[in-house]
Amino acid sequence: MKFSVYQTSDQGGREKNEDRMGYCYTREAGLFVLADGMGGHPDGEVAAQIAIQTVSALFQQQAKPKLKDVGRFLGDALLAAHHKILQYAGHPVDALDTPRTTLVAAVVQDGSASWIHCGDSRMYLVRGSELLVRTRDHSYLELRTPAFDDAMGLNRNVLYTCLGSPSLPVYDLDGPIVLEHGDRLLLCSDGLWSMFDDETIAHHLGRRPVASAIPFLVGEALERAGSSSDNVTAVAMQWEMPGAQAAAAGITTDEMHDELFASTIQAEPFDGLDDGHDELDDAEIERTIAEINAAIQRTAARKP
């Protein structure tokens, strides 16, 4: 694999930065992940950190050097992150105020990209200056029904799902899309995308290397929001086809050994988790998946 990547996060005008992001890769697979801890709930930054650590740990366990089933990995990783946040909070089944976070993650493998998201952190896929994909937020604003308009006043910040809530998370899983040389993949928090329309993001992301496009977009978002700026976080990847000249600061994985793993995601200890919190319990993950599938079936059965 050959790609260039850039990541950055700014606290903006908030008291603390509750966004977390990072990427990791093996010789044949790459993971890009971002989480936005939800304000108004305790320990949002902890929920975000647990989420990206859990997804990264599962990737390291399974990508040897690539994933057997990318879609299965993404679904399992999101549910494992949700489970670990609840574990940190002490499994508060009926709690109204627990650590919560959004999550968006993308895997690049076999020249294709697949992704999953829960909440309103977004992924953009840009080819040239054309927007191929933009994830749809799990917010009442994106639903745009008259009942939601009346009830919520079209407040984009109101989400109907996230990781860490007592209810099971709703998520969207998409891909794979075959990548072409120069395709850009952007994961960002709402502190960035809320300052631009989709066309503006696609224009700047498609016309600049990610190492200059991302600092420009982040800086512009901070300037537009001023002192009221939210945390602004982004991680972006530019895909390069085999044989093409690598971009500045590009990464080439061809010489990596099968067991080698590189990551920008640093593990942090949390008092609410035991010392082995990075060791994922497959049985727990399977039970959570079964619960979600059962809930989906019950919902479908109630529809006329």
Side-chain angles (χ1 to χ4, degrees), residues 58 93 121 237:
L58 194 59
V93 177
S121 293
M237 182 275 295

Side-chain angles (χ1 to χ4, degrees), residues 122-181:
R122 290 183 178 178
M123 191 210 76
Y124 293 80
L125 176 58
V126 173
R127 179 169 296 161
S129 293
E130 178 185 357
L131 180 63
L132 296 185
V133 174
R134 192 270 274 178
T135 54
R136 296 294 165 182
D137 310 330
H138 295 120
S139 67
Y140 293 112
L141 177 60
E142 288 273 62
L143 292 177
R144 294 301 301 246
T145 66
F148 285 135
D149 288 2
D150 293 340
M152 299 298 174
L154 292 181
N155 185 343
R156 72 166 181 83
N157 294 313
V158 179
L159 305 180
Y160 58 83
T161 190
C162 62
L163 273 62
S165 66
S167 59
L168 295 170
V170 176
Y171 62 86
D172 288 320
L173 173 64
D174 292 287
I177 286 184
V178 176
L179 298 174
E180 296 184 4
H181 181 72

